[in-house]
Amino acid sequence: MSKIIVIGSPGAGKSVFSTKLSNIVKLPLYHLDMLYHNSDGTHISKEELERKLKEIFKENNWIIDGNYQRTLEMRLEECDTVFLLDFPTDICIAGAESRVGKKRDDLPWVEDKLDENFKQVIINFSTQKLPEIYKLLDKYKNNKNIIIFKSRAEADDYIANLTH
């Protein structure tokens, strides 16, 4: 486990999980939101994001968290381990709501409210994004370590077991 991606719906807790994992396994952590977004809310081009990812891929060890469907397959090709946080929609919405107003290491600004469009992305995730994710995971299942958590408790138990 030296090249890891953590994927799942917004609000699932990818960054929290990734930070805990990084602290235990001592691998550098890259948040896709921090790579893609500028502090003023603008973002770099998709091509620049791909260039940044290719630079990270050259390193021997890393954790990359974030969904960014457009770059998912290129990250799957490079990683050896995938963690999918496949949590119920209501849990993800609550997760997104809980971080409003809080400074985060994975986003270059503080959200002052849960944007309705962003909330809709979370609501639509299980029908619009998840099937494509599972299709890609199936494609790479023979040469990747794929770990799927269906609840926060499963993810927390995994992290707890790594520390023992």
Side-chain angles (χ1 to χ4, degrees):
M1 199 165 62
S2 61
K3 296 181 177 185
I4 302 166
I5 64 171
V6 180
I7 57 178
S9 173
K14 296 178 297 295
S15 296
V16 171
F17 178 85
S18 297
T19 299
K20 290 176 183 177
L21 183 63
S22 175
N23 289 337
I24 294 166
V25 299
K26 305 299 183 210
L27 298 181
L29 173 57
Y30 301 93
H31 302 287
L32 285 179
D33 281 340
M34 291 297 285
L35 294 172
Y36 185 61
H37 293 286
N38 299 310
S39 59
D40 63 1
T42 62
H43 58 78
I44 62 174
S45 70
K46 290 171 175 48
E47 294 76 20
E48 179 62 20
L49 177 61
E50 288 180 15
R51 280 193 293 278
K52 285 183 174 189
L53 283 170
K54 287 175 183 174
E55 286 301 309
I56 295 168
F57 294 158
K58 292 176 185 175
E59 298 176 24
N60 291 328
N61 303 291
W62 41 259
I63 299 171
I64 301 172
D65 90 29
N67 223 57
Y68 289 72
Q69 213 89 349
R70 184 174 188 270
T71 66
L72 181 54
E73 188 156 16
M74 70 185 285
R75 286 179 284 132
L76 278 167
E77 289 171 357
E78 297 292 332
C79 75
D80 57 38
T81 304
V82 179
F83 290 97
L84 169 60
L85 308 184
D86 182 4
F87 299 164
T89 301
D90 59 328
I91 298 297
C92 296
I93 290 172
E97 289 172 338
S98 74
R99 64 190 189 200
V100 170
K102 297 178 181 167
K103 171 86 176 92
R104 300 166 36 200
D105 293 334
D106 64 319
L107 197 63
W109 65 80
V110 176
E111 297 166 304
D112 57 358
K113 64 180 174 59
L114 182 59
D115 178 77
E116 283 304 313
N117 291 333
F118 187 62
K119 185 176 181 179
Q120 196 60 49
V121 167
I122 298 171
I123 291 167
N124 295 338
F125 188 84
S126 63
T127 57
Q128 293 182 357
K129 301 292 184 183
L130 211 46
E132 183 182 335
I133 290 171
Y134 273 105
K135 184 190 264 186
L136 282 170
L137 292 180
D138 190 56
K139 178 179 175 179
Y140 289 92
K141 69 183 176 191
N142 293 327
N143 62 350
K144 307 294 176 186
N145 182 22
I146 299 171
I147 302 159
I148 300 171
F149 300 121
K150 293 288 192 174
S151 70
R152 287 201 198 285
E154 288 178 6
D156 291 344
D157 287 348
Y158 182 90
I159 291 293
N161 287 329
L162 280 180
T163 61
H164 291 107

